[in-house]
Amino acid sequence: RSSPVILFAPGLRCHSQDLPGNSIVRKAYGSGFRSIVVNRRGHTPDQPLKSPRWNLFGDVDDMEQVYWFIKRNFVPSHTAFFLHGISSGSAVTVTALSKWDKRRTELREKTPAFVASVAVAPGYDISKVLNRDRFLWPYNDIMMQSVKDHFVMKNEALLRSHNNDAVE
């Protein structure tokens, strides 16, 4: 019998070593689940971006690659998978499930499959998040600076080499 797997999609400024609610991860692990935090490109300490491809809220294709890597290399084919989005990590969770469901039903492709999924504290329409009319002062300024400090400045050289104006 194989232990079930939970893929965790962390929030905006989070990664596997700095995850609000990490007691959930520890509790799942202690209950026999394989608990895997899927870090977003460029968000993990000491692992800067290698190319300018990234999504602040997480990349569906990256999530899929993690799923297939685990499925092919570490667990029997019948292993149950769960998907857990935390805060803004729920954006990639919901987007991924929608994209995979569409591919599965319309194109009849084999896609990641989950027994269940949860989005904790979602509330994100990423087309509107961090817009001044929706994310009011002072929170917009605080969050924008936080994202710049945490992500953009950490990857500044690579991002500037690709598009200097976008960094500004």
Side-chain angles (χ1 to χ4, degrees):
R1 184 172 171 254
S2 177
S3 297
V5 175
I6 302 177
L7 299 181
F8 289 92
L12 187 62
R13 286 203 37 183
C14 304
H15 51 80
S16 56
Q17 301 305 309
D18 180 20
L19 185 68
N22 64 14
S23 60
I24 296 168
V25 177
R26 287 194 305 272
K27 180 78 171 168
Y29 178 77
S31 298
F33 285 82
R34 290 183 172 116
S35 300
I36 299 165
V37 177
V38 181
N39 290 320
R40 293 181 312 281
R41 292 179 191 214
H43 287 253
T44 309
D46 304 319
Q47 293 182 5
L49 283 173
K50 294 182 173 136
S51 72
R53 179 174 181 229
W54 60 281
N55 183 316
L56 187 60
F57 292 99
D59 186 284
V60 172
D61 296 331
D62 288 350
M63 179 76 75
E64 183 169 2
Q65 291 303 311
V66 169
Y67 174 90
W68 289 120
F69 184 78
I70 295 165
K71 187 113 174 136
R72 289 184 184 121
N73 296 293
F74 297 107
V75 298
S77 60
H78 65 277
T79 301
F81 275 75
F82 298 83
L83 185 56
H84 184 117
I86 302 167
S87 191
S88 65
S90 64
V92 72
T93 299
V94 172
T95 302
L97 292 171
S98 172
K99 180 179 179 178
W100 298 331
D101 188 51
K102 185 174 183 176
R103 278 185 18 218
R104 185 173 28 261
T105 57
E106 293 179 8
L107 304 175
R108 305 282 186 229
E109 290 182 5
K110 188 171 183 176
T111 62
F114 296 90
V115 172
S117 178
V118 64
V120 176
Y124 287 95
D125 174 349
I126 62 171
S127 68
K128 296 178 182 174
V129 74
L130 298 180
N131 284 346
R132 289 200 175 278
D133 62 331
R134 178 153 174 166
F135 212 61
L136 302 176
W137 183 89
Y139 303 107
N140 186 291
D141 295 337
I142 292 168
M143 287 302 292
M144 277 303 237
Q145 191 59 52
S146 175
V147 167
K148 286 178 183 177
D149 292 345
H150 180 74
F151 180 76
V152 176
M153 296 292 97
K154 205 163 74 172
N155 296 288
E156 182 177 12
L158 174 71
L159 296 173
R160 282 194 187 282
S161 71
H162 182 68
N163 184 339
N164 188 58
D165 293 338
V167 175
E168 298 303 322

